[in-house]
Amino acid sequence: MSFGQSKLYRSEDYGKTFKDITSLINNTFIRTEFGMAIGPENSGKVILTGDVSGGSRGGRIFRSSDFAKNFVQTDLPFHPLVQITYHPQNSDCLLALSTENGLWVSKDFGESWEEIHKAVCLAKWGANDTIFFTTYLNNSCTDLGLLELKKTSDFGKAFKVIGTKIYSFGLGGRFLFASVMTEKGTTRRIHVSLDQGETWNMAQLPSVGHEQFYSILAANDDLVFMHVDEPGDTGFGTIYTSDDRGIVYSKSLERHLYTTTGGETDFTNVTSLRGIYITSVLSEDNSIQSVITFDRGGEWVPLRKPKNTTCDSTAKSKEECSLHIHASYSISQKLNVPMAPLSEPNAVGIVIAHGSVGGAISVMSPDVYISDDGGYTWARMLEGPHHYAILDSGGLIVAIEHTSQPVNVIEFSTDEGQCWYRYAFSKEPIFFTGLASEPGARSMNVSVWGFRGSFLSRQWVSYTIDFSQLLSRTCEDKDYTVWLAHSINPSDPSDGCILGYKEQYRRLRKSSVCQNGRDYVVTKQPSICPCTLEDFLCDFGYYRPENQSVCVEQPELKGHDLEFCLYGRRELLKTSGYRKIPGDKCSGGESPSREEKDMKKKCTSNFLSPSQLAASTSSTPIILAVVAVLVVTVVAGVLIVKKYVCGGRFLVHRYSVLRQHAEANGVEGMDVLDPGTPARKGGYHDDSDEDLLE
């Protein structure tokens, strides 16, 4: 389906044909800023928000329970402020905020609504039927730091205050986070709850000032990646990784690039293989370099230089350099990067990204690189920037050149990017605007969108290519092979051991020209490994210097007892510098000593509320909690907090210096992105200084 101000279309054949169904919504203008609210799983539910006249008493929605075959018009008793959200497990239950800050719920898929609370600023679904929300006491949601955090588990019959002096809150994995104002009113501290706000602990992290920010980059049930901004307008900070309680954190990566201009970070989760993340660091000379971790932040290393490539002018040596990946920051700076890195959980090991080979990220027009082993090794896949998509669980990769000129050719590969074929999908070229395929990377169809004609007389067109006619044979057992993930040295008995175990996958041979099909399921066989130092993070107060595997004590903490608050007690930590990575399954082998000794001193704090846990105000521990704005994304469970600064200029300046250097050497390929073709990104970022909960 696609929608605009007045037209709604529907396709049942993966975009090959479309039917105009605007009459189903009574030719109503659709408010595109609310998007198309699609129900969880395969519920078939769709909600569109209609535009109504300014004098109406409430808004209007159109509801469908049969994949948009039919719609029911429903007039609302309120005007929605943001998109209506579904209960994660029950698509009949809906949650909405009104423009008058009312919290509304529906239990019958929007047919009837009930206002359960007024003066609400932010609301989110929690586990089961729990709803978390903040309320204001002084007539405005702008009173950040004076809000109350409440919850209801029975759709508004009863409420419980679980926090006061709240600046913001968010959810990530099984963790509930609250950003709480201290008594001074100028700083905030992050509290963490594992029982939906019944009890709280403070995250043990370096303190930050009011112009710094804090961001949870990724969170699942047993680990949090947390970015803590450096003082000053530096554009970088430090990544910390948590224990399985989200309370104690260890330094993982220093000088992590995270700008204040639009809140851009290159932090990327490689979903095609476990434990792998890619991001960027800002070096001492302000150049930007890519690093990768294969063990959930235990160690970060440069990306290996692809074979048969030469180092560009950013490298000190023509032979010694590495691959640098373009991601959100490059896109935000309008470099010629049409897409962020791409990976899919069912396309095992495959990662596709734009990049350059040298000493740092280059401003030149990038090439496209592919890894078939999760990022250990790379190869140049296509020359110049492209749009790309993964189909048939990795059995097929398609791409279209990113250019300002009309195109009529799509490229495709059946061997994970080694060999490429070209297919002319139209006799007459089109101005390309987008490449779309069914989410999940299981489809054999891809749609190419674009237009013909001038700006004033555009004719929009869509071509859908069905590759099932090319790959008509269904894959058999002989088409698959056994592949050991994370393998770098087959002669080593511990080869493939990551996070305490090996995994052998049943994977399609590159030489097999066949179709995985929609029913393809990734199969793997795990085996437990003995423990080594690689199965441990650096403990609280320790860190790994770049390109080193040994944990060393943080200089600012040498000579101090490591004290912190845990479960309302002051603990003294005795450690050799290591603690096991959350989720690591190793058994036996090395076991560095670690002990938390109860000092029998109560942590007396009242930051969250008089009855809740907080930190001592009479004696400040060496390690303070993070005090920051807190934000969370719905899709990925990511919390983002930005600071209100017009900064990041030196980073743009660095790109300007590189551009001048390139122009001085007569280098071409310096095209910036066409403003008319927005870069494809994984998320949406607002430029306001308010919390962004995506």
Side-chain angles (χ1 to χ4, degrees):
M1 280 189 293
S2 64
F3 59 91
Q5 279 193 309
S6 59
K7 292 292 184 181
L8 184 67
Y9 297 87
R10 183 175 185 274
S11 174
E12 292 186 344
D13 53 9
Y14 305 105
K16 296 177 185 178
T17 59
F18 281 89
K19 179 182 179 181
D20 188 338
I21 59 170
T22 310
S23 61
L24 297 181
I25 57 170
N26 302 327
N27 298 298
T28 304
F29 289 141
I30 297 300
R31 296 183 61 181
T32 55
E33 70 269 24
F34 281 79
M36 187 177 295
I38 299 175
E41 302 299 331
N42 200 30
S43 65
K45 290 184 168 63
V46 179
I47 298 176
L48 302 176
T49 303
D51 192 17
V52 294
S53 60
S56 63
R57 297 180 60 184
R60 177 175 297 160
I61 60 174
F62 294 89
R63 305 176 293 117
S64 174
S65 299
D66 55 6
F67 298 95
K69 290 181 181 178
N70 299 281
F71 279 92
V72 176
Q73 176 180 315
T74 303
D75 289 334
L76 302 175
F78 61 92
H79 288 282
L81 178 65
V82 292
Q83 186 186 76
I84 294 169
T85 58
Y86 293 86
H87 187 293
Q89 286 81 40
N90 183 356
S91 58
D92 283 332
C93 296
L94 305 175
L95 187 65
L97 275 178
S98 75
T99 55
E100 295 182 348
N101 298 110
L103 178 58
W104 295 76
V105 295
S106 172
K107 301 177 187 177
D108 52 12
F109 186 48
E111 183 176 348
S112 61
W113 291 84
E114 177 187 2
E115 186 179 29
I116 63 172
H117 208 288
K118 297 182 182 297
V120 175
C121 300
L122 174 68
K124 300 187 72 66
W125 288 106
N128 302 319
D129 293 332
T130 304
I131 300 172
F132 296 100
F133 60 97
T134 48
T135 63
Y136 57 81
L137 304 175
N138 297 324
N139 302 318
S140 175
C141 286
T142 60
D143 292 332
L144 300 177
L146 299 175
L147 307 178
E148 283 190 341
L149 178 59
K150 298 182 179 181
K151 73 174 183 178
T152 176
S153 300
D154 51 14
F155 295 95
K157 293 180 181 178
F159 300 95
K160 182 175 182 178
V161 177
I162 58 174
T164 59
K165 300 181 182 178
I166 301 296
Y167 192 95
S168 180
F169 81 98
L171 297 162
R174 63 192 177 102
F175 305 104
L176 170 64
F177 298 92
S179 176
V180 187
M181 296 298 294
T182 65
E183 292 179 345
K184 294 181 179 179
T186 57
T187 56
R188 300 177 294 275
R189 298 198 174 196
I190 299 303
H191 289 63
V192 185
S193 176
L194 295 176
D195 54 11
Q196 303 199 83
E198 295 296 322
T199 59
W200 296 87
N201 280 284
M202 286 193 301
Q204 301 298 311
L205 282 158
S207 59
V208 297
H210 69 281
E211 287 190 349
Q212 295 169 262
F213 69 93
Y214 150 99
S215 167
I216 292 188
L217 303 168
N220 57 28
D221 284 348
D222 55 16
L223 182 72
V224 177
F225 278 92
M226 190 175 302
H227 173 98
V228 179
D229 188 36
E230 288 292 308
D233 187 16
T234 63
F236 66 86
T238 301
I239 293 179
Y240 291 82
T241 50
S242 76
D243 63 358
D244 57 1
R245 300 159 299 187
I247 302 170
V248 179
Y249 289 79
S250 301
K251 187 179 291 188
S252 175
L253 179 67
E254 295 182 299
R255 299 191 67 87
H256 176 237
L257 176 71
Y258 200 143
T259 74
T260 59
T261 308
E264 300 294 345
T265 174
D266 288 339
F267 191 87
T268 302
N269 181 9
V270 176
T271 60
S272 58
L273 213 58
R274 65 184 174 90
I276 303 178
Y277 298 85
I278 300 173
T279 195
S280 298
V281 294
L282 189 68
S283 68
E284 296 289 348
D285 65 354
N286 285 344
S287 64
I288 299 171
Q289 302 166 357
S290 295
V291 289
I292 188 170
T293 179
F294 300 103
D295 56 2
R296 300 174 80 180
E299 181 181 11
W300 295 85
V301 295
L303 281 72
R304 189 177 301 177
K305 176 179 175 289
K307 293 181 179 179
N308 302 321
T309 59
T310 57
C311 304
D312 63 23
S313 59
T314 63
K316 297 178 181 178
S317 167
K318 288 298 181 183
E319 298 301 325
E320 295 183 5
C321 60
S322 58
L323 175 65
H324 302 279
I325 298 298
H326 287 284
S328 293
Y329 183 70
S330 294
I331 294 172
S332 74
Q333 296 302 310
K334 301 296 187 289
L335 297 188
N336 197 12
V337 180
M339 286 188 65
L342 176 66
S343 60
E344 297 285 354
N346 54 319
V348 177
I350 296 177
V351 193
I352 305 174
H354 289 89
S356 59
V357 180
I361 286 180
S362 170
V363 297
M364 303 309 183
S365 188
D367 294 327
V368 181
Y369 294 84
I370 186 170
S371 174
D372 62 3
D373 55 11
Y376 284 93
T377 61
W378 296 82
R380 189 169 73 169
M381 185 175 83
L382 293 165
E383 186 175 349
H386 283 71
H387 296 259
Y388 38 76
I390 298 173
L391 306 179
D392 192 36
S393 300
L396 182 66
I397 300 174
V398 297
I400 286 186
E401 183 182 4
H402 178 62
T403 174
S404 60
Q405 300 301 312
V407 297
N408 67 340
V409 172
I410 188 171
E411 299 171 85
F412 64 93
S413 171
T414 61
D415 57 6
E416 298 180 353
Q418 290 183 326
C419 300
W420 287 85
Y421 305 91
R422 294 167 62 86
Y423 171 70
F425 58 83
S426 169
K427 291 183 179 180
E428 185 181 351
I430 64 172
F431 288 95
F432 172 80
T433 58
L435 190 66
S437 60
E438 182 183 353
R442 297 184 181 278
S443 175
M444 295 292 293
N445 297 268
V446 65
S447 295
V448 180
W449 294 81
F451 65 90
R452 295 191 181 96
S454 65
F455 179 79
L456 297 177
S457 60
R458 288 183 177 181
Q459 178 191 3
W460 290 94
V461 293
S462 171
Y463 291 91
T464 297
I465 299 101
D466 185 354
F467 286 94
S468 61
Q469 299 178 20
L470 172 69
L471 302 176
S472 57
R473 183 176 68 86
T474 301
C475 296
E476 306 171 31
D477 286 342
K478 65 180 181 180
D479 294 303
Y480 296 91
T481 185
V482 175
W483 178 73
L484 177 62
H486 295 282
S487 176
I488 55 177
N489 184 7
S491 62
D492 186 349
S494 63
D495 185 45
C497 288
I498 289 290
L499 300 176
Y501 62 105
K502 302 181 182 183
E503 284 180 313
Q504 288 187 320
Y505 287 85
R506 182 172 176 262
R507 189 168 176 179
L508 188 66
R509 297 179 186 272
K510 289 183 173 61
S511 58
S512 295
V513 182
C514 59
Q515 186 178 145
N516 279 316
R518 285 187 171 274
D519 297 331
Y520 172 77
V521 177
V522 175
T523 57
K524 54 189 176 183
Q525 183 65 44
S527 57
I528 301 298
C529 301
C531 296
T532 67
L533 287 183
E534 293 180 352
D535 295 295
F536 295 84
L537 292 169
C538 295
D539 207 349
F540 184 65
Y542 289 76
Y543 76 102
R544 279 188 175 102
E546 191 172 351
N547 299 325
Q548 294 186 29
S549 59
V550 178
C551 295
V552 299
E553 190 174 2
Q554 292 176 213
E556 64 270 24
L557 298 179
K558 283 186 177 180
H560 297 283
D561 289 332
L562 299 181
E563 294 182 2
F564 57 97
C565 287
L566 185 65
Y567 302 128
R569 301 183 303 274
R570 176 158 295 161
E571 308 284 349
L572 177 64
L573 178 66
K574 295 182 178 180
T575 177
S576 59
Y578 301 88
R579 63 180 170 83
K580 201 170 184 180
I581 299 173
D584 193 294
K585 294 180 170 56
C586 71
S587 178
E590 293 198 44
S591 182
S593 60
R594 186 181 195 275
E595 176 187 1
E596 292 169 11
K597 183 179 179 182
D598 189 352
M599 299 292 287
K600 304 299 182 184
K601 293 181 180 179
K602 185 73 174 178
C603 294
T604 60
S605 128
N606 60 358
F607 289 147
L608 194 64
S609 69
S611 61
Q612 301 288 346
L613 169 71
S616 171
T617 56
S618 58
S619 59
T620 305
I622 295 167
I623 302 299
L624 299 179
V626 167
V627 290
V629 185
L630 191 68
V631 196
V632 65
T633 72
V634 171
V635 175
V638 178
L639 292 96
I640 299 174
V641 185
K642 301 191 330 184
K643 61 180 179 180
Y644 179 61
V645 189
C646 298
R649 288 188 297 273
F650 76 98
L651 294 172
V652 179
H653 173 70
R654 177 64 183 176
Y655 272 117
S656 301
V657 172
L658 291 175
R659 279 204 172 92
Q660 293 167 8
H661 175 74
E663 291 167 350
N665 287 277
V667 182
E668 298 180 355
M670 298 285 296
D671 300 323
V672 296
L673 274 178
D674 178 3
T677 308
R680 178 175 174 179
K681 293 178 57 180
Y684 168 78
H685 292 283
D686 199 333
D687 277 338
S688 74
D689 60 326
E690 300 297 327
D691 284 350
L692 304 178
L693 288 100
E694 304 180 55

